[in-house]
């Protein structure tokens, strides 16, 4: 017994020593970088990762491996351990697919998964011909119409009949047939409204008109009239109704062709023994300033102006031009821009524009800027008007133009103030703007500022507006700008304090051609770096105004 006990004790010590040695090599605190491999212990077997690529017949399907989310199709899943795994591919309104697979060390597998849509079909019938049917508010085109499994609203319409809507549940791989028996609708005027509350007939094109919109439920005839506050009918139009919705444009003139005076007017629709009214104003003070779209909002040159477009005005603008290096008398680039603005109120405007230039070295510079402009005015008894406002902008591009840089090119994070005086159609104003990182935008290397101060003048001649501007840019700080020119890497870098960095001076002319509400622009000017370069530029632009 004693020998057996000694033998068991010795055997225990051997295994204990072996386990201690293995743990000793695994301790980080002892700075051992090697772990002894035990051929009898799978925990220390070397395992190399595998890769699975998953594609599907629909994009954006969710991919799970062993219950863990890995992204959406198409996706590559790395670091898969050797062994058996579960792949799940799912998307809303599709059947989930599950695949079990095994992967070896360093193995790459690919799966193309075809998900089956969980859908059914809707068909319809009706006692009437010419019925239009929508599903969930959308026109369906052809029937049977495929829809996802679930609840849907199916609506049938026919002029002169009441709408009928049925809510149905469509199960997968089935066709649900809906039958409509429509009832005749009594004649009703369901809507009468105007596109604007105020308008000025003296403005050009659609800007000087008002749309009177109305809807009816059944066939009849009627008359739409416009009358003044004394009840005098100034304009009228007869209608024979064969559909629901109608629109009539009134240009603010009476039956003899004269433009009506300012005041309150009433549109009255009389039809089918019913009468509905709505009111609006003619206001000759409403005007649309003939301004271009700058990176600071509407204005001229690079200066925003504290004028406001009427509430609801939508502006689409595009321009293209050419620039010259006057020091070398050579072509420098072809600047372009395209943008839009919207007047949320008579005092608040939002705008955005893409801008860029095709340079003479073949490189294309492009960027984007957004601006917010607020403005207001104070009227004086003398007839003069004091305008004031502020602009805020952010912009950036993939490169700069007009070396050595440091003027207001549309880049950077900026804030500015503007104010001026207008009298008898002539406006003179001042601007002061500060721009952080004006070279290529807020992601540009180096901290630098441009401080721009200047004035602008604008005169309205009725169908033509003309103005001029002049600004002085001061530049402070450092920047580093990398550019590849004809295969060579060029680095522009500078650390300076320059109070008279650049002068930008130019003119601009805008006009409404004929009776159109489209605005044409032409501008030209010079960009003079006081110590080095001199450039000239000219651009032609067009603005479409909608209100």
């Amino acid at each position: 017994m004693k020998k057996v006990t000694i033998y068991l004790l010795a055997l225990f010590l051997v295994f204990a020593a072996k386990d201690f040695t293995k743990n000793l090599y695994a301790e980080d605190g002892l700075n051992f970088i090697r772990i002894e491999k035990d051929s009898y212990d799978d925990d220390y077997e070397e395992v190399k990762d595998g890769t699975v690529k998953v594609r599907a017949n629909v994009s954006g399907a969710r991919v799970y491996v062993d219950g863990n989310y890995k992204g959406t199709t198409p996706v590559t899943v790395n670091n898969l351990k050797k062994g058996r795994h579960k792949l799940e591919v799912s998307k809303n309104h599709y059947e989930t697919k599950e695949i079990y697979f095994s992967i070896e060390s360093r193995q790459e597998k690919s799966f193309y998964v075809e998900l089956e849509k969980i859908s059914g079909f809707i068909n319809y019938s009706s006692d009437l011909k010419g019925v239009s049917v929508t599903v969930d508010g959308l026109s369906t085109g052809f029937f049977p119409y495929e829809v996802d499994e679930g609840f849907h609203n199916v609506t049938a319409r026919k002029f002169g009949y009441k709408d009928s809507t049925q809510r149905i549940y469509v199960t997968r791989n089935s066709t649900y047939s809906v039958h409509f028996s429509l009832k005749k609708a009594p004649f009703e005027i369901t809507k009468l409204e105007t596109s604007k509350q105020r308008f000025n007939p003296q403005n050009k094109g659609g800007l000087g008109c008002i749309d009177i919109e109305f809807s009816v439920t059944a066939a009849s005839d009627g008359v739409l009239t416009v009358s003044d506050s004394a009840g005098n009918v100034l304009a009228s139009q007869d209608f024979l109704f064969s559909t629901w919705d109608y629109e009539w444009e009134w240009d603010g003139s009476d039956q003899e062709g004269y433009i009506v005076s300012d005041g309150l007017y009433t549109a009255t629709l009389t039809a089918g023994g019913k009468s509905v009214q709505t009111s609006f104003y003619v206001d000759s003070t409403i005007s649309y300033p003939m301004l271009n779209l700058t990176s600071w909002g509407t204005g001229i040159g690079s200066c925003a102006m504290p004028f406001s477009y009427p509430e609801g005005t939508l502006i689409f603008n595009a321009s293209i031009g050419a620039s010259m290096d006057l020091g070398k008398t050579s072509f420098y680039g072809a600047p372009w821009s395209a943008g839009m603005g919207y007047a949320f109120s008579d005092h608040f405007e939002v705008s955005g524009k893409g801008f860029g230039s095709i340079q003479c070295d073949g490189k294309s510079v492009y960027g984007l800027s957004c601006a917010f402009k607020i403005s207001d005015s104070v009227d004086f008894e003398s007839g003069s008007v004091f305008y004031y406002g502020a602009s805020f902008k952010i912009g950036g591009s993939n490169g700069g133009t007009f070396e050595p840089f440091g003027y207001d090119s549309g880049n950077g994070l900026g804030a500015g103030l503007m104010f001026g005086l207008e009298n008898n159609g002539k406006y003179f104003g001042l601007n002061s703007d500060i721009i952080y990182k004006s070279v290529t935008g807020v992601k540009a290397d180096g901290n630098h500022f441009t401080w721009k101060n200047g004035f602008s003048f604008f005169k309205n001649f009725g169908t033509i507006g003309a103005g001029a501007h002049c600004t002085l840019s001061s530049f402070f700080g450092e920047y580093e700008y990398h550019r590849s020119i004809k295969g060579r890497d060029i680095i522009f870098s500078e650390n300076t304090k320059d109070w008279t960095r650049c002068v930008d001076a130019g003119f601009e002319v805008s006009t409404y051609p004929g009776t159109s509400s489209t605005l044409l622009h032409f501008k030209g000017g010079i960009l003079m770096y006081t110590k080095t370069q001199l450039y000239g530029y000219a651009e032609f632009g067009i603005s479409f105004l909608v209100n």
Side-chain angles (χ1 to χ4, degrees), residues 357-529:
S357 177
I358 302 173
Q359 299 297 91
C360 60
D361 56 21
K363 181 177 176 63
S364 292
V365 176
Y366 51 87
L368 179 69
S369 67
C370 298
F372 305 87
K373 185 176 83 170
I374 55 176
S375 61
D376 208 341
S377 61
V378 177
D379 296 338
F380 296 104
E381 293 183 359
S382 61
S384 299
V385 182
F386 176 73
Y387 291 92
Y388 59 96
S391 283
F392 307 90
K393 73 141 186 186
I394 183 171
S397 68
N398 69 326
T401 56
F402 296 117
E403 299 93 336
F405 313 122
Y407 82 112
D408 181 12
S409 62
N411 293 311
L413 183 64
L417 298 175
M418 50 192 156
F419 50 91
L421 193 66
E422 186 267 336
N423 184 269
N424 293 325
K426 292 179 289 187
Y427 169 85
F428 181 84
L430 300 176
N431 291 68
S432 183
D433 309 315
I434 187 77
I435 310 160
Y436 175 59
K437 292 193 173 182
S438 61
V439 175
T440 59
V442 294
K443 291 186 177 180
D445 294 332
N447 291 316
H448 55 271
F449 294 86
T450 294
W451 184 25
K452 184 184 71 175
N453 294 279
F455 69 87
S456 57
F457 173 81
F458 190 80
K459 168 67 173 165
N460 191 329
F461 297 95
T463 59
I464 297 177
H469 74 280
C470 182
T471 64
L472 173 66
S473 293
S474 303
F475 184 69
F476 312 100
E478 61 179 351
Y479 71 92
E480 185 172 291
Y481 169 50
H482 298 256
R483 183 172 176 184
S484 178
I485 299 179
K486 295 181 179 180
R488 296 187 301 119
D489 291 332
I490 306 297
I491 300 177
F492 298 93
S493 62
E494 190 175 17
N495 189 341
T496 186
K497 180 189 291 185
D498 191 343
W499 288 94
T500 58
R501 178 70 162 189
C502 180
V503 175
D504 179 10
F507 69 94
E508 186 160 334
V509 177
S510 300
T511 183
Y512 291 106
T515 60
S516 170
S517 58
T518 299
L519 193 60
L520 302 180
H521 311 275
F522 178 79
K523 68 177 181 179
I526 60 168
L527 196 65
M528 180 177 64
Y529 288 88

Side-chain angles (χ1 to χ4, degrees), residues 25 132 155 170 347 355 482:
Y25 277 104
S132 62
T155 301
V170 180
H347 308 288
F355 62 90
H482 298 256

Side-chain angles (χ1 to χ4, degrees), residues 33-34 72 109 122 126 141 143 184 201 262 283 286 343 346 401 422 479 482 509 512 521:
I33 61 172
R34 180 169 60 90
T72 59
K109 285 192 172 183
I122 295 175
S126 175
F143 283 90
K184 284 196 172 184
D262 289 3
D283 185 352
I286 295 174
D346 292 341
T401 56
E422 186 267 336
Y479 71 92
H482 298 256
V509 177
Y512 291 106
H521 311 275

Side-chain angles (χ1 to χ4, degrees), residues 255-365:
Q255 294 175 341
E256 296 181 356
Y258 294 103
I259 293 178
V260 301
S261 58
D262 289 3
L264 177 67
Y265 291 82
T266 301
T268 304
L269 177 62
T270 304
K274 302 180 183 297
S275 182
V276 178
Q277 295 181 334
T278 188
S279 297
F280 57 91
Y281 290 89
V282 171
D283 185 352
S284 60
T285 65
I286 295 174
S287 64
Y288 295 81
M290 290 179 280
L291 304 180
N292 210 338
L293 194 62
T294 78
S295 61
W296 293 88
T298 50
I300 64 171
S302 61
C303 298
M305 301 177 74
F307 296 134
S308 298
Y309 278 89
E311 180 180 352
T313 304
L314 187 60
I315 308 162
F316 298 94
N317 175 267
S319 68
I320 191 168
S323 56
M324 299 284 293
D325 186 337
L326 298 179
K328 299 178 181 178
T329 63
S330 62
F331 174 75
Y332 180 75
W336 60 267
S337 69
M340 63 180 295
Y342 183 74
F344 283 93
S345 72
D346 292 341
H347 308 288
F348 178 57
E349 171 191 288
V350 176
S351 61
K353 64 182 297 186
F355 62 90
S357 177
I358 302 173
Q359 299 297 91
C360 60
D361 56 21
K363 181 177 176 63
S364 292
V365 176

Side-chain angles (χ1 to χ4, degrees), residues 60-80:
R62 298 181 296 275
V63 176
Y64 299 84
V65 176
D66 301 327
N68 298 314
Y69 177 69
K70 298 298 182 180
T72 59
T73 55
V75 67
T76 298
V77 182
N78 298 309
N79 304 320
L80 284 179

